Amino acid sequence: PGSREAVRKLKASGLKLRFCTNETQATREKFVEKLQHLGFDILVSEVTAPAPAACRILKERNLRPHLLVHDGLVPEFDRLDKGNPNCVVLGEAADNFSYQNLNEAFRVLIGLENPILISLGRGRYYKETDGLKLDVGVYMKALEYACDIQAEVVGKPSKMFFQSALVEMGVEPQEAIMIGDDIVNDVGGAQQCGMRALQVRTGKYRPCDEQHPEVTPDGYVNNLAEAVDIILKQLDK
């Protein structure tokens, strides 16, 4: 409740804003279209997401990906050479995470002299309207174990992901605050980058997060609207 108005308040305040998402089931355009349909004031240029960052890395390193991603994300990679793949890109593929598809990705990796696995996030689970669902990190760990390699994570909680959002806004880590529901990927990732972070008690938040052994948020809020009100009150002081 109050989230749409909270975003409008943030924008009206003049504060710089980025929506940092590990969404890998749709292109940024489709993701933004969905949020706009729900009434949010959001532009594609305001979204920091893993797939565009992964594409930049692939181009810079002349990598040709074998894709194990959601069908809705495939258009993000249309301009890349995917023939004779020399790496695997893994995203939240939902029903595409079949044994056959995972095994095919495994065979590509195990057949490379220097296997490269790029994962668009490393989340353990996420929440949808029908409940919690396994996230990409579970399948990333399976391929890491099978191939005895370590994946390169593009997306939250990687430091590079948060740094790219800060660069886009032109601010330093100590000038920014992250608001999120994921204790590890949102809060922990932002803090490792030098930012402060608030955890909202909505979405995938669970009460046990408040006893997490490694990550302690700079504060807890009941929802996004409350977080925004607190931040804006600080500006008025």
Side-chain angles (χ1 to χ4, degrees):
S3 293
R4 290 183 287 262
E5 180 60 27
V7 171
R8 284 192 285 270
K9 284 181 181 178
L10 274 178
K11 290 196 167 187
S13 74
L15 287 171
K16 295 179 180 178
L17 176 66
R18 279 296 179 279
F19 298 90
C20 297
T21 177
N22 270 0
E23 170 62 58
T24 57
Q25 290 195 16
T27 62
R28 279 192 302 174
E29 288 76 13
K30 288 291 184 184
F31 175 67
V32 167
E33 185 180 307
K34 178 180 178 180
L35 287 173
Q36 288 175 340
H37 181 72
L38 292 170
F40 285 93
D41 178 10
I42 178 174
L43 303 172
V44 172
S45 60
E46 295 170 328
V47 175
T48 301
C55 287
R56 287 194 295 270
I57 291 170
L58 295 168
K59 289 176 183 176
E60 289 168 2
R61 292 163 58 180
N62 294 315
L63 294 174
R64 302 178 302 277
H66 170 86
L67 299 176
L68 179 45
V69 300
H70 194 279
D71 291 341
L73 194 70
V74 171
E76 291 274 19
F77 300 90
D78 278 351
R79 297 184 181 182
L80 295 173
D81 179 7
K82 293 180 282 293
N84 189 25
N86 56 4
C87 71
V88 168
V89 171
L90 191 68
E92 204 299 286
D95 292 339
N96 284 346
F97 276 138
S98 64
Y99 175 81
Q100 180 179 345
N101 289 342
L102 277 167
N103 200 54
E104 187 178 357
F106 161 72
R107 286 177 172 175
V108 171
L109 289 168
I110 208 71
L112 295 171
E113 185 176 348
N114 296 302
I116 298 172
L117 173 61
I118 296 175
S119 184
L120 307 180
R122 68 174 193 199
R124 293 176 295 162
Y125 58 87
Y126 61 96
K127 186 175 183 180
E128 288 197 346
T129 51
D130 60 347
L132 298 176
K133 297 191 174 183
L134 291 175
D135 204 350
V136 63
V138 176
Y139 305 95
M140 178 195 84
K141 287 293 184 182
L143 289 174
E144 283 185 331
Y145 179 68
C147 301
D148 194 22
I149 58 174
Q150 187 166 356
E152 300 178 31
V153 179
V154 181
K156 297 181 291 185
S158 77
K159 193 172 182 178
M160 180 179 67
F161 182 83
F162 286 101
Q163 286 174 334
S164 66
L166 293 169
V167 168
E168 289 168 9
M169 291 188 290
V171 301
E172 296 297 321
Q174 65 272 16
E175 297 176 309
I177 188 164
M178 175 74 185
I179 306 168
D181 64 350
D182 190 312
I183 186 69
V184 173
N185 290 331
D186 294 332
V187 176
Q191 288 177 334
Q192 285 183 358
C193 193
M195 299 165 60
R196 286 170 291 175
L198 297 176
Q199 185 177 17
V200 290
R201 294 188 175 104
T202 57
K204 67 186 292 185
Y205 162 85
R206 301 174 73 197
C208 62
D209 290 346
E210 300 193 24
Q211 284 79 47
H212 195 279
E214 297 174 4
V215 182
T216 302
D218 293 279
Y220 295 95
V221 289
N222 290 320
N223 50 52
L224 178 62
E226 183 179 324
V228 170
D229 285 343
I230 290 170
I231 291 168
L232 296 183
K233 283 178 183 176
Q234 293 297 316
L235 287 181
D236 292 336
K237 289 183 177 180

